[in-house]
Amino acid sequence: MALVLNEEQTMLRDSARGFIGDNAPVAHLRKLRDDNDATGFSRALWKSFAEMGFSGLLVPDEFGGSGLGCVEAGVVMEEIGRNLMPSPFLATAVLAASALSRGGSAAQKSEHLPKIADGSLLAALAIDEGAKHRPLQTKMQAVRSGNGFRLNGAKAFVVDGHVADLLIIAARSAGSPGERAGLTLFLVDPKTKGIALERTTMVDSHNAARIVFDNVEVNADGVLGELDQGVALLEGILNVGRGAVASEMVGVSEEVFSRTVTYLKERKQFGKLIGEFQALQHRAAHLYTEIEITRAAVLKALQTLDADFDNAATAVAVAKARAGTTATLAVQEGVQMHGGMGMTDQFDIGFFMKRARVCQELFGDSNFHADQLAQLKNY
């Protein structure tokens, strides 16, 4: 399959680029940060986003969505990355929609997917428990209680967990941390007794949450997918999320590159435009080639998720690892070529550096995915 967007995907990209660029430039994020906004994003803008059909991209047609694929979700994520738009799109429209579409019962799909498609329900995926992404090391306990389960444990780095109407929780219903068997996913109402939630503002001014579960009762109807066999469903959901975050990092890298090249053409030193210095030209050319190679790797991963979902892990690991290293290179070069002013809050370039750092860690950094790739290839 050609590593280019088709006509419909290009039209979607142009639509998303125009909408996000007009309504949520970096200044939008800056204002939310400066106002210490309690929500961390604009609910009015999210409503308009949903009306454009973006929130239902991965929701099947029969539940009010577009029934499109990961490539289309990646197209929107790339434009979000270009503008650093704070939005529940990743947590709700990508992760939760994928989880429910792939693992939900008929009742669960009917109840939640239409609300995701129309933007009226926000959801969050709660996986990590420590400083690093290690899903198989899940310690949170799900113990049988009556006709359901009792959850005990804590989750960290839950993206948009502070505003979620629905939580998707990974807990250990059997086995020990590190084992593949024994993981189960649960749908949990965050208002359930025993849940303590703390909003955390991350370094990039986006939001996450810490959530503590103290004897939280969940009905058996809240099980998402198969009991004790949730690892395959979870890995599939995470791969969709990793592909989406990789796309966002492509957007971050491209925007940083564009802004940096513009600066090189405007800034003068010793009476010459700094873009005329060959050393900076070489560095800019190197960054350009890295971004283009990464773009191809990410699109390949998204296409594989759509065409051969169960065998996409290798392509996703390559894409996420490479997107992380490329975004890191892009923001470091961007800040350095802007000189000392690149480190000041007056310039937006610092916002991109912080977002790239968060995206690098989200769902596994480059080292995590290099290790994943080695395991998949039996190195």
Side-chain angles (χ1 to χ4, degrees), residues 91-92 95-96 121-126 158-169 211:
T92 298
L95 295 170
L121 182 141
L122 301 178
L125 181 66
V158 182
V159 176
D160 290 323
H162 67 302
V163 293
D165 305 304
L166 178 70
L167 297 173
I168 302 174
I169 311 294
I211 309 177

Side-chain angles (χ1 to χ4, degrees), residues 81 84 249 251-257 260 283 287 291 323-339 342-343 348-358 360:
L84 303 181
M249 286 193 282
V252 167
S253 302
E254 280 214 326
E255 183 64 19
V256 169
F257 176 76
T260 301
R283 289 166 64 176
L287 177 56
I291 292 173
T325 56
T326 299
T328 299
L329 174 65
V331 296
Q332 288 176 347
E333 290 287 65
V335 168
Q336 288 193 15
M337 291 189 197
H338 275 78
M343 293 300 295
D348 289 340
I349 205 77
F351 282 84
F352 289 91
M353 172 172 272
K354 293 170 184 175
R355 183 57 185 167
R357 188 69 187 91
V358 170
Q360 166 79 293

Side-chain angles (χ1 to χ4, degrees), residues 41-197:
F41 66 93
S42 169
R43 289 188 180 272
L45 186 56
W46 174 247
K47 182 179 179 181
S48 299
F49 203 71
E51 290 172 352
M52 292 282 290
F54 296 133
S55 62
L57 285 180
L58 296 182
V59 176
D61 295 340
E62 60 266 34
F63 299 107
S66 304
L68 297 176
C70 294
V71 173
E72 286 78 12
V75 164
V76 175
M77 284 297 297
E78 184 174 329
E79 299 310 316
I80 286 175
R82 284 178 180 274
N83 296 275
L84 303 181
M85 176 187 180
S87 162
F89 180 78
L90 173 64
T92 298
V94 175
L95 295 170
S98 296
L100 288 161
S101 297
R102 296 187 174 277
S105 65
Q108 290 168 342
K109 292 178 181 179
S110 298
E111 180 180 0
H112 300 302
L113 285 176
K115 295 178 183 178
I116 289 178
D118 66 22
S120 61
L121 182 141
L122 301 178
L125 181 66
I127 302 298
D128 295 321
E129 299 177 358
K132 285 290 185 178
H133 179 67
R134 299 290 185 270
L136 291 183
Q137 296 298 324
T138 296
K139 299 178 182 178
M140 185 172 174
Q141 294 296 309
V143 180
R144 284 196 174 276
S145 174
N147 70 335
F149 297 83
R150 184 182 295 116
L151 304 181
N152 281 286
K155 296 292 182 181
F157 201 23
V158 182
V159 176
D160 290 323
H162 67 302
V163 293
D165 305 304
L166 178 70
L167 297 173
I168 302 174
I169 311 294
R172 191 161 289 282
S173 51
S176 303
E179 296 180 1
R180 290 182 63 83
L183 283 180
T184 303
L185 298 184
F186 296 90
L187 300 178
V188 182
D189 184 340
K191 296 183 178 63
T192 303
K193 181 180 178 182
I195 294 180
L197 191 151

Side-chain angles (χ1 to χ4, degrees), residues 3-22:
L3 296 176
V4 293
L5 300 179
N6 63 31
E7 184 178 353
E8 291 77 13
Q9 292 160 352
T10 301
M11 291 173 62
L12 174 65
R13 180 200 64 191
D14 294 342
S15 176
R17 181 170 297 178
F19 179 86
I20 296 172
D22 290 343

